[in-house]
């Protein structure tokens, strides 16, 4: 994977070594770079995109996480047009599988072996599918 680190590679690599909390946006399109910064340097994903010169309307084309050395909290928001899958259950399942794989790869690349979690406020997709999401911590 290709990475674009804000404010620069050297600074973010230092933060990674120190296991600082990071904000990361992983593109659905693997020809685009993964965006990352220390949380204190970007605060929100739309700010991270702007700092990396990606238009804020592109936010729904990224898997979005905030990670530290214990957990990776996934902003689980499946776009209605994800991979042009019209069936909602299949679309959300595919989004989950693709996202989990991409997030795991990025975490492994940077040496953060953190649990991937979907915060409660983003679990409504699972409830809509008839799954209470109890398998997600």
């Amino acid at each position: 994977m290709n990475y674009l680190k804000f404010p620069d590679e050297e600074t973010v690599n230092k933060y990674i070594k120190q296991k600082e909390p990071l904000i990361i946006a992983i593109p659905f399109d693997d020809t685009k770079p993964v965006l990352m910064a220390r949380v204190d340097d970007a605060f929100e994903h739309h700010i991270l995109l702007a700092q990396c010169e990606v238009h804020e309307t592109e936010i729904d084309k990224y898997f979005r996480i905030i990670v530290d050395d214990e957990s990776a909290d996934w902003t689980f928001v499946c776009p209605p047009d994800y991979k042009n899958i019209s069936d909602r259950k299949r679309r959300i399942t595919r989004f989950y599988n693709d996202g989990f794989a991409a997030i795991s790869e990025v975490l492994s690349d940077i040496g953060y072996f953190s649990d991937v979690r979907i915060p409660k406020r983003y679990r409504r997709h699972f409830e809509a599918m008839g799954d209470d999401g109890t398998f997600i911590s």
Side-chain angles (χ1 to χ4, degrees):
M1 286 196 167
N2 188 20
Y3 293 89
L4 178 58
K5 300 173 182 176
F6 179 84
D8 58 67
E9 188 163 346
E10 183 179 333
T11 301
V12 174
N13 287 345
K14 181 180 83 175
Y15 295 147
I16 290 170
K17 283 184 182 178
Q18 296 170 350
K19 299 294 187 205
E20 290 280 334
L22 302 173
I23 186 166
I24 301 174
I26 305 164
F28 300 163
D29 176 355
D30 61 4
T31 65
K32 296 179 181 176
V34 173
L35 312 175
M36 70 173 55
R38 185 174 64 147
V39 170
D40 292 343
D41 293 338
F43 305 108
E44 300 286 340
H45 286 95
H46 67 277
I47 295 171
L48 173 63
L49 268 64
Q51 290 169 326
C52 294
E53 299 182 6
V54 175
H55 196 274
E56 65 186 29
T57 59
E58 300 289 303
I59 198 163
D60 284 338
K61 296 179 180 178
Y62 289 83
F63 299 109
R64 303 179 305 260
I65 61 171
I66 300 209
V67 63
D68 61 25
D69 60 341
E70 293 181 14
S71 67
D73 287 347
W74 182 3
T75 303
F76 191 92
V77 179
C78 181
D81 61 346
Y82 185 72
K83 300 232 173 165
N84 296 314
I85 301 171
S86 59
D87 179 76
R88 186 168 191 232
K89 186 172 184 171
R90 284 184 355 137
R91 181 177 62 248
I92 292 169
T93 300
R94 178 69 182 268
F95 181 80
Y96 175 84
N97 290 335
D98 292 350
F100 197 86
I103 291 166
S104 296
E105 182 177 350
V106 169
L107 294 178
S108 178
D109 281 355
I110 65 173
Y112 278 58
F113 298 100
S114 309
D115 292 333
V116 177
R117 299 185 320 186
I118 300 173
K120 215 174 218 181
R121 67 186 170 278
Y122 296 111
R123 294 187 197 169
R124 69 186 181 284
H125 292 291
F126 296 102
E127 292 165 6
M129 292 179 4
D131 187 335
D132 65 2
T134 54
F135 62 93
I136 303 169
S137 60

